[in-house]
Amino acid sequence: MTKGKTEQKPVLLVALGGNALIRKGETGTVDEQFANLKIPMAQIARLSRDYRIIITHGNGPQVGNLLLQQECCDAVPRLPLEILVAQTQGQIGYMIESTLDEALMALGINDQPLVSLISYVVVDKNDKAFLHPDKPVGPAFSREKAASLPYPTVRTPKGHRRVVVSPKPVTIVEKREIRTLIDSGFIVICCGGGGIPVVRAGRTFDGVDAVIDKDLASARLAVEVGVDLMVIATDVAGVALDYGKPGQRYLKRVDRETAARYINEGHFSAGAMLPKVEAAMQFIHGGGKRALITSLERITEAVAGKAGTEFRKTC
């Protein structure tokens, strides 16, 4: 007999940062990436006993490597960014599945179904982000080389890099399929790299050269499929005020009103913690019960309320 919805385990979404596969200072070999995945996958395997699970993930280093490979080879046609995002969804999905399956079997869980899903995310073609490309992607170039490239670039500490737009996610195209899969007992890996960005063209979709923030896409998905708990796993212990300064202090619990005040006071970096805090707030605003930001090593502790920064509607 199929369990009724009231008997189903709660739904947990874990959003893995890019450092889940490639740590600072590493070259990103396949062996390094598989080794790094063992840390979060062992925890997710244990959590699967009590939760139905969705896994999302970043793909910045992997897409960057593909772009670099394209720049180094003129023998084959170059692929647009949305195709590269799709490639990394398959690549990383395979690595997560195989590592998680091994972790599950180590716990004696031999019948847990897993699936990786190629995921589209709709963006608004009128999003103001399309007027101001500002997301660096791919390899760094010299100033002279950048001047000859057919796309906009920006100067960064690494050199001149291509910039693309980063519009807000509107909806996850496969949300119904994802909901059906988790209700059927699958662990679902989806929305890799923020999803493949598409715009509506009548009854179909057109891919666009853009990058969607992985955490904002994860929050959108969490709201649309009815996730109970969202964990954003990254390379710091939690959300801090005065980060990197002598008075740095980590926050234990934050409500929506307080988080909004901290954002307005400029406590969070636009390229790092800000989108994570915004994603946590959007999830809570959309009906989520708890959102957590924590380190990759302490996912299970954060779920138990013993680590990280927790967001609730009220504290």
Side-chain angles (χ1 to χ4, degrees):
M1 180 181 295
T2 302
K3 290 184 179 181
K5 277 197 172 182
T6 55
E7 300 177 65
Q8 293 266 33
K9 295 183 289 188
V11 182
L12 165 64
L13 185 149
V14 180
L16 300 174
N19 61 313
L21 284 89
I22 302 178
R23 298 298 183 95
K24 188 176 294 184
E26 293 181 342
T27 59
T29 66
V30 169
D31 288 341
E32 286 174 340
Q33 294 185 59
F34 272 117
N36 291 335
L37 275 174
K38 289 183 179 180
I39 296 171
M41 292 306 113
Q43 297 172 81
I44 289 172
R46 292 194 296 271
L47 288 167
S48 71
R49 292 167 166 162
D50 300 311
Y51 293 91
R52 291 174 288 158
I53 293 177
I54 299 170
I55 302 172
T56 63
H57 59 83
N59 70 344
Q62 291 78 17
V63 162
N65 288 342
L66 291 176
L67 287 167
L68 178 57
Q69 288 173 351
Q70 291 196 151
E71 293 293 338
C72 295
C73 178
D74 295 322
V76 295
R78 297 186 181 186
L79 300 173
L81 188 55
E82 73 267 18
I83 299 297
L84 301 184
V85 172
Q87 288 184 352
T88 61
Q89 286 189 356
Q91 168 192 341
I92 298 171
Y94 157 70
M95 298 181 79
I96 290 175
E97 271 198 53
S98 57
T99 308
L100 178 55
D101 198 33
E102 182 180 345
L104 289 163
M105 289 189 290
L107 296 176
I109 304 172
N110 301 312
D111 57 353
Q112 172 62 59
L114 312 172
V115 64
S116 296
L117 191 65
I118 299 297
S119 314
Y120 301 172
V121 177
V122 177
V123 298
D124 184 352
K125 64 182 178 181
N126 296 314
D127 190 312
K128 292 181 181 179
F130 282 102
L131 301 176
H132 305 288
D134 63 357
K135 180 71 172 179
V137 297
F141 303 98
S142 67
R143 183 177 61 180
E144 294 73 21
K145 175 65 175 177
S148 67
L149 296 173
Y151 42 73
T153 61
V154 65
R155 184 178 179 181
T156 74
K158 296 181 180 179
H160 291 263
R161 299 178 67 197
R162 177 184 179 183
V163 286
V164 297
V165 298
S166 185
K168 303 294 185 186
V170 174
T171 188
I172 313 303
V173 174
E174 294 82 10
K175 54 185 175 290
R176 288 180 294 274
E177 291 85 348
I178 293 168
R179 181 76 217 194
T180 298
L181 286 165
I182 60 173
D183 283 347
S184 300
F186 283 82
I187 293 177
V188 182
I189 303 155
C190 57
C191 288
I196 303 167
V198 297
V199 295
R200 292 193 184 276
R203 295 177 61 86
T204 61
F205 300 104
D206 289 336
V208 294
D209 263 1
V211 172
I212 303 171
D213 182 86
K214 173 264 302 176
D215 296 312
L216 295 178
S218 299
R220 183 72 254 153
L221 171 66
V223 171
E224 291 187 329
V225 304
V227 166
D228 298 288
L229 169 62
M230 181 172 76
V231 176
I232 298 174
T234 183
D235 57 356
V236 293
V239 180
L241 301 182
D242 299 318
Y243 181 74
K245 299 177 182 178
Q248 172 181 308
R249 61 194 187 279
Y250 283 100
L251 303 171
K252 180 64 177 174
R253 291 184 178 84
V254 185
D255 59 34
R256 283 170 45 195
E257 183 179 338
T258 305
R261 176 165 56 83
Y262 288 150
I263 288 174
N264 291 334
E265 292 173 355
H267 282 283
F268 310 127
S269 168
M273 188 55 69
L274 179 60
K276 301 181 190 308
V277 173
E278 290 178 334
M281 291 175 62
Q282 289 177 20
F283 172 63
I284 296 300
H285 180 72
K289 296 175 182 176
R290 299 167 62 210
L292 297 155
I293 298 176
T294 189
S295 66
L296 283 158
E297 294 79 8
R298 304 190 70 183
I299 295 171
T300 51
E301 291 177 75
V303 170
K306 299 177 181 179
T309 302
E310 180 174 330
F311 292 79
R312 288 181 180 263
K313 187 174 182 180
T314 58
C315 292

